[in-house]
Amino acid sequence: MNKTVMRTRWMIPNMTLSRVYKIAYSFLVERVPAENANAIVDSYLELKDSSSEPVHLKEIFRRILGSAQNSNMKAGVIGESIDGFDNLGKALFSFNHKKTLAQFKGNPDSLLDHIVATLKPRGKIRRERRSIWPKYCKTILSVAEFLTQFKNGNEFYDWANSMYKNKHSMPALPLVLAAEIEGIGYPLACDFLKELGFVGYGKPDVHVIEIFVGIGICPEKPSPYQVQKVISNIAAAAGVSSYNVDKLFWLIGSGKFYNHKNIGKRGHIGRMKKEFIEAAIA
């Protein structure tokens, strides 16, 4: 790629975006230390669009809360401290949003007391207003409140698909979720949606952003919405889903093959962000 062009024009043609994807895919496959590297990489990129296959509201509650802890240090403070995120269900009535809200509505401090008494998280539980656990408890109650407007999973999917299936309103769905739910910004809303089967979304993750800025296909300090648009444009040019694009660049940035503990150091083959940027703009 021409480094000067890539640095000065980030709205680049589909042909170039398609090539960006091919370079990224080949780069990653070449660095996976296994004979079946292609199959390993593909196993992370392939996810069927299941946006028309509703799940129970309990599962939606669980998945939103799972995405809500997928930022910064939250996963370590929350999920790891209780021996796995799914154990949170023991304190939330098996992820029943109605029972959770009925018991703790308007009282996140009591919810935190209940979680501590039930799960006994390891480490110090900080109680300051901006600390992770108090903020997360507010998110739990906010999600529970948001879900009360839906009678069941079908109704939630009908609502989500009314925007997802329309190319003009599709980018707005994560914005609505971010506005409705405390503690869920645009990137985490995208993370929740893509993991729920709405594969037209990718998560504007820090790894993805740094790579896109580094190779010149999005502006410096982009908004999450701008990054999502770049993900969508690469997906369209390469003929794959946004989920696929998101996961490909995330794997390059993180080096974490979490389903393959037999490669690298328990699935971690090292971050390749800098190496890829240098290779892509050479």
Side-chain angles (χ1 to χ4, degrees):
M1 298 179 196
N2 186 297
K3 184 173 181 179
T4 302
V5 173
M6 292 294 288
R7 289 297 184 182
T8 58
R9 291 183 60 206
W10 61 273
M11 294 299 289
I12 57 182
N14 278 358
M15 184 68 73
T16 307
L17 288 177
S18 176
R19 186 162 175 259
V20 166
Y21 180 88
K22 290 177 181 177
I23 290 172
Y25 181 86
S26 298
F27 175 91
L28 185 59
V29 168
E30 288 171 2
R31 281 154 184 81
V32 173
E35 291 184 4
N36 58 335
N38 281 89
I40 290 175
V41 170
D42 288 345
S43 71
Y44 290 86
L45 307 184
E46 297 167 356
L47 183 69
K48 184 183 73 169
D49 189 315
S50 53
S51 60
S52 298
E53 301 174 13
V55 297
H56 197 282
L57 282 176
K58 284 186 178 182
E59 180 64 11
I60 293 173
F61 189 36
R62 185 186 74 83
R63 294 204 191 189
I64 297 180
L65 295 182
S67 289
Q69 61 122 42
N70 282 342
S71 67
N72 301 327
M73 297 171 58
K74 287 182 183 176
V77 173
I78 296 168
E80 291 182 17
S81 72
I82 58 175
D83 295 320
F85 166 76
D86 283 340
N87 280 325
L88 186 62
K90 297 175 182 178
L92 300 182
F93 311 100
S94 298
F95 290 107
N96 187 310
H97 70 286
K98 289 183 178 179
K99 289 184 177 180
T100 300
L101 194 62
Q103 188 79 18
F104 301 107
K105 183 176 181 178
N107 202 337
D109 291 336
S110 291
L111 173 57
L112 180 52
D113 290 338
H114 173 68
I115 289 173
V116 171
T118 305
L119 301 177
K120 298 177 175 55
R122 289 188 298 274
K124 183 178 180 179
I125 305 297
R126 297 186 179 277
R127 299 276 182 160
E128 293 84 358
R129 184 172 60 89
R130 297 184 62 81
S131 295
I132 289 175
W133 270 113
K135 289 175 66 178
Y136 190 65
C137 286
K138 290 181 179 179
T139 296
I140 292 172
L141 295 179
S142 181
V143 174
E145 183 80 50
F146 168 72
L147 291 178
T148 58
Q149 66 187 293
F150 305 105
K151 290 186 298 186
N152 49 45
N154 284 2
E155 195 168 275
F156 172 85
Y157 273 71
D158 287 344
W159 169 77
N161 274 305
S162 68
M163 285 185 276
Y164 179 64
K165 300 295 185 181
N166 185 316
K167 68 178 182 179
H168 300 295
S169 61
M170 179 187 167
L173 179 54
L175 292 172
V176 173
L177 289 172
E180 291 269 1
I181 301 172
E182 184 172 353
I184 298 282
Y186 189 92
L188 293 181
C190 289
D191 182 64
F192 157 66
L193 289 166
K194 72 182 178 67
E195 295 299 331
L196 198 60
F198 293 79
V199 298
Y201 298 103
K203 179 187 176 186
D205 177 89
V206 62
H207 294 300
V208 177
I209 293 171
E210 289 179 2
I211 290 173
F212 284 1
V213 171
I215 64 177
I217 59 174
C218 75
E220 297 284 342
K221 298 181 180 179
S223 68
Y225 178 80
Q226 286 176 310
V227 179
Q228 178 62 54
K229 290 293 288 183
V230 174
I231 292 173
S232 297
N233 289 339
I234 294 174
V240 298
S241 68
S242 291
Y243 177 95
N244 182 303
V245 173
D246 163 79
K247 193 67 75 172
L248 174 63
F249 287 97
W250 182 83
L251 287 168
I252 291 173
S254 70
K256 294 179 180 178
F257 286 79
Y258 47 83
N259 290 330
H260 294 81
K261 303 296 185 183
N262 59 313
I263 64 174
K265 295 181 179 179
R266 290 186 54 78
H268 200 305
I269 66 172
R271 295 178 177 178
M272 299 164 278
K273 217 176 320 188
K274 183 178 179 181
E275 184 185 358
F276 174 71
I277 291 172
E278 291 176 349
I281 64 177

Coordinates of all heavy atoms in Angstrom, one line a residue, residues 8-47:
T8 N -3.2 10.2 4.1 CA -3.9 11.5 3.8 C -5.3 11.3 3.4 O -6.1 12.2 3.4 CB -3.1 12.2 2.7 OG1 -3.0 11.4 1.6 CG2 -1.7 12.6 3.2
R9 N -5.7 10.1 3.0 CA -7.0 9.8 2.5 C -7.5 8.5 3.3 O -7.2 7.4 2.9 CB -7.1 9.6 1.0 CG -6.8 10.8 0.2 CD -6.9 10.5 -1.3 NE -8.3 10.0 -1.6 CZ -8.6 9.2 -2.6 NH1 -7.6 8.7 -3.4 NH2 -9.8 8.8 -2.8
W10 N -8.4 8.7 4.3 CA -8.8 7.6 5.0 C -10.1 7.0 4.5 O -10.5 5.9 4.8 CB -8.9 7.9 6.5 CG -9.9 9.0 6.9 CD1 -9.6 10.3 7.0 CD2 -11.2 8.8 7.3 NE1 -10.7 11.0 7.4 CE2 -11.7 10.1 7.6 CE3 -12.1 7.8 7.4 CZ2 -13.0 10.4 8.0 CZ3 -13.4 8.0 7.8 CH2 -13.9 9.3 8.1
M11 N -10.8 7.8 3.6 CA -12.0 7.3 2.9 C -11.5 6.6 1.6 O -11.5 7.3 0.6 CB -13.0 8.4 2.7 CG -13.6 9.0 3.9 SD -14.5 7.8 4.9 CE -16.0 7.5 3.9
I12 N -11.0 5.4 1.7 CA -10.4 4.8 0.6 C -11.3 3.8 -0.2 O -12.3 3.4 0.4 CB -9.1 4.1 1.0 CG1 -9.4 3.0 2.1 CG2 -8.1 5.0 1.5 CD1 -8.2 2.3 2.6
P13 N -11.0 3.5 -1.4 CA -11.9 2.7 -2.3 C -12.1 1.3 -1.7 O -11.3 0.8 -1.0 CB -11.2 2.7 -3.6 CG -10.3 3.8 -3.6 CD -9.9 4.0 -2.2
N14 N -13.3 0.7 -2.1 CA -13.6 -0.7 -1.7 C -12.5 -1.7 -2.1 O -12.2 -2.6 -1.4 CB -14.9 -1.1 -2.3 CG -16.1 -0.6 -1.5 OD1 -15.9 0.0 -0.5 ND2 -17.3 -0.9 -2.0
M15 N -11.9 -1.5 -3.3 CA -10.8 -2.4 -3.7 C -9.7 -2.4 -2.7 O -9.1 -3.4 -2.4 CB -10.3 -1.9 -5.1 CG -9.3 -2.9 -5.7 SD -10.0 -4.5 -6.1 CE -11.0 -4.0 -7.6
T16 N -9.3 -1.2 -2.2 CA -8.3 -1.1 -1.2 C -8.7 -1.8 0.1 O -7.9 -2.4 0.8 CB -7.8 0.3 -1.0 OG1 -7.5 0.9 -2.2 CG2 -6.6 0.4 -0.1
L17 N -9.9 -1.5 0.5 CA -10.5 -2.1 1.7 C -10.5 -3.6 1.7 O -10.2 -4.3 2.6 CB -11.9 -1.6 2.0 CG -11.9 -0.1 2.5 CD1 -13.4 0.3 2.7 CD2 -11.2 0.1 3.8
S18 N -10.8 -4.1 0.5 CA -10.8 -5.6 0.3 C -9.4 -6.1 0.5 O -9.2 -7.2 1.1 CB -11.3 -5.9 -1.1 OG -11.2 -7.3 -1.4
R19 N -8.4 -5.4 -0.1 CA -7.0 -5.8 0.0 C -6.5 -5.7 1.5 O -5.8 -6.5 2.0 CB -6.1 -4.9 -0.8 CG -4.7 -5.3 -0.9 CD -4.0 -4.7 -2.1 NE -2.6 -5.0 -2.0 CZ -1.6 -4.2 -1.6 NH1 -1.9 -3.0 -1.2 NH2 -0.3 -4.6 -1.6
V20 N -7.0 -4.7 2.2 CA -6.7 -4.6 3.7 C -7.1 -5.9 4.4 O -6.4 -6.4 5.2 CB -7.4 -3.4 4.3 CG1 -7.3 -3.4 5.8 CG2 -6.7 -2.1 3.8
Y21 N -8.3 -6.3 4.1 CA -8.8 -7.6 4.7 C -7.9 -8.8 4.4 O -7.6 -9.6 5.2 CB -10.3 -7.8 4.3 CG -10.8 -9.1 5.0 CD1 -11.4 -9.0 6.2 CD2 -10.7 -10.3 4.3 CE1 -11.9 -10.1 6.8 CE2 -11.2 -11.5 4.9 CZ -11.8 -11.4 6.2 OH -12.3 -12.5 6.8
K22 N -7.6 -8.9 3.1 CA -6.8 -10.1 2.6 C -5.4 -10.1 3.3 O -4.9 -11.1 3.7 CB -6.7 -10.0 1.1 CG -8.0 -10.3 0.4 CD -7.8 -10.2 -1.1 CE -9.2 -10.5 -1.8 NZ -9.0 -10.3 -3.3
I23 N -4.8 -8.9 3.4 CA -3.5 -8.8 4.0 C -3.6 -9.2 5.5 O -2.8 -9.9 6.0 CB -3.0 -7.3 3.8 CG1 -2.6 -7.1 2.4 CG2 -1.8 -7.1 4.7 CD1 -2.2 -5.6 2.1
A24 N -4.6 -8.7 6.1 CA -4.8 -9.0 7.6 C -5.0 -10.5 7.8 O -4.4 -11.1 8.7 CB -6.0 -8.2 8.1
Y25 N -5.8 -11.1 7.0 CA -6.1 -12.5 7.1 C -4.9 -13.3 6.9 O -4.5 -14.2 7.7 CB -7.2 -12.9 6.1 CG -7.6 -14.4 6.3 CD1 -8.5 -14.8 7.2 CD2 -7.0 -15.4 5.4 CE1 -8.9 -16.2 7.3 CE2 -7.3 -16.7 5.5 CZ -8.2 -17.1 6.5 OH -8.6 -18.4 6.6
S26 N -4.1 -13.0 5.8 CA -2.9 -13.8 5.5 C -1.9 -13.6 6.6 O -1.2 -14.5 7.0 CB -2.3 -13.3 4.2 OG -3.2 -13.6 3.1
F27 N -1.8 -12.4 7.1 CA -0.8 -12.0 8.2 C -1.1 -12.9 9.4 O -0.2 -13.4 10.0 CB -0.9 -10.5 8.5 CG -0.1 -10.1 9.7 CD1 1.2 -9.6 9.5 CD2 -0.6 -10.1 11.0 CE1 1.9 -9.2 10.6 CE2 0.1 -9.7 12.0 CZ 1.4 -9.2 11.9
L28 N -2.3 -12.9 9.8 CA -2.7 -13.7 11.0 C -2.5 -15.2 10.9 O -1.9 -15.8 11.7 CB -4.1 -13.4 11.4 CG -4.6 -14.0 12.7 CD1 -3.8 -13.5 13.9 CD2 -6.1 -13.7 12.9
V29 N -2.9 -15.7 9.7 CA -2.7 -17.2 9.5 C -1.2 -17.6 9.6 O -0.9 -18.6 10.1 CB -3.3 -17.6 8.2 CG1 -2.9 -19.0 7.8 CG2 -4.9 -17.5 8.2
E30 N -0.4 -16.7 9.0 CA 1.1 -17.0 8.9 C 1.7 -17.0 10.3 O 2.7 -17.7 10.5 CB 1.8 -16.0 8.1 CG 1.5 -16.1 6.6 CD 2.0 -15.0 5.8 OE1 2.7 -14.1 6.4 OE2 1.8 -15.0 4.5
R31 N 1.0 -16.4 11.3 CA 1.6 -16.3 12.6 C 1.0 -17.2 13.7 O 1.4 -17.2 14.8 CB 1.6 -14.8 13.1 CG 2.7 -14.0 12.4 CD 2.3 -12.5 12.3 NE 3.4 -11.9 11.5 CZ 3.5 -11.9 10.2 NH1 2.6 -12.5 9.5 NH2 4.5 -11.2 9.6
V32 N 0.0 -18.0 13.3 CA -0.6 -18.9 14.2 C 0.3 -20.2 14.2 O 0.5 -20.8 13.1 CB -2.0 -19.3 13.8 CG1 -2.5 -20.4 14.7 CG2 -2.9 -18.1 13.9
P33 N 0.9 -20.5 15.3 CA 1.9 -21.7 15.3 C 1.2 -23.0 15.3 O 1.2 -23.8 16.3 CB 2.6 -21.4 16.6 CG 1.6 -20.7 17.5 CD 0.8 -19.9 16.6
A34 N 0.5 -23.4 14.2 CA -0.1 -24.7 14.1 C -0.3 -25.0 12.7 O -0.4 -24.1 11.8 CB -1.5 -24.6 14.8
E35 N -0.3 -26.3 12.4 CA -0.5 -26.8 11.0 C -1.8 -26.4 10.4 O -1.9 -26.1 9.2 CB -0.3 -28.3 10.9 CG 1.2 -28.7 11.2 CD 1.4 -30.2 11.0 OE1 0.4 -30.9 10.6 OE2 2.5 -30.7 11.2
N36 N -2.8 -26.4 11.2 CA -4.2 -26.1 10.7 C -4.6 -24.6 11.1 O -5.7 -24.3 11.5 CB -5.2 -27.0 11.4 CG -5.2 -27.0 12.9 OD1 -4.2 -26.6 13.5 ND2 -6.3 -27.3 13.5
A37 N -3.6 -23.7 10.8 CA -3.8 -22.3 11.1 C -5.0 -21.7 10.5 O -5.8 -20.9 11.2 CB -2.5 -21.5 10.7
N38 N -5.3 -22.0 9.2 CA -6.5 -21.5 8.6 C -7.8 -21.9 9.3 O -8.6 -21.0 9.5 CB -6.6 -22.0 7.1 CG -5.6 -21.2 6.2 OD1 -4.5 -21.6 6.0 ND2 -6.1 -20.2 5.6
A39 N -7.9 -23.1 9.7 CA -9.1 -23.6 10.3 C -9.2 -23.0 11.7 O -10.3 -22.6 12.1 CB -9.0 -25.1 10.5
I40 N -8.1 -22.8 12.4 CA -8.1 -22.1 13.7 C -8.6 -20.7 13.6 O -9.6 -20.3 14.3 CB -6.8 -22.2 14.4 CG1 -6.4 -23.6 14.8 CG2 -6.7 -21.2 15.6 CD1 -5.0 -23.8 15.4
V41 N -8.1 -19.9 12.7 CA -8.5 -18.5 12.5 C -10.0 -18.5 12.1 O -10.7 -17.7 12.6 CB -7.6 -17.8 11.4 CG1 -8.2 -16.5 11.0 CG2 -6.2 -17.7 11.9
D42 N -10.3 -19.3 11.1 CA -11.7 -19.3 10.6 C -12.7 -19.6 11.7 O -13.8 -19.1 11.7 CB -11.9 -20.3 9.5 CG -11.2 -19.9 8.2 OD1 -10.9 -18.7 8.1 OD2 -11.0 -20.8 7.3
S43 N -12.3 -20.4 12.7 CA -13.2 -20.8 13.8 C -13.6 -19.6 14.6 O -14.7 -19.6 15.3 CB -12.6 -21.9 14.7 OG -11.6 -21.4 15.5
Y44 N -12.8 -18.6 14.6 CA -13.1 -17.3 15.4 C -13.9 -16.3 14.5 O -14.6 -15.5 15.1 CB -11.9 -16.7 15.9 CG -11.1 -17.4 17.0 CD1 -10.2 -18.5 16.6 CD2 -11.4 -17.2 18.3 CE1 -9.6 -19.2 17.6 CE2 -10.7 -17.9 19.3 CZ -9.8 -18.9 18.9 OH -9.2 -19.6 19.9
L45 N -13.8 -16.5 13.2 CA -14.4 -15.5 12.4 C -15.8 -15.8 11.9 O -16.6 -14.9 11.5 CB -13.6 -15.3 11.1 CG -12.1 -15.0 11.3 CD1 -11.4 -14.8 9.9 CD2 -11.9 -13.8 12.2
E46 N -16.2 -17.1 12.0 CA -17.5 -17.5 11.5 C -18.5 -17.5 12.6 O -18.4 -18.2 13.6 CB -17.3 -18.9 10.9 CG -16.4 -19.0 9.7 CD -16.0 -20.4 9.3 OE1 -16.4 -21.3 10.0 OE2 -15.3 -20.5 8.3
L47 N -19.6 -16.8 12.4 CA -20.7 -16.8 13.3 C -22.0 -16.5 12.4 O -22.0 -15.5 11.7 CB -20.6 -15.7 14.3 CG -21.7 -15.6 15.4 CD1 -21.7 -16.9 16.3 CD2 -21.6 -14.4 16.2

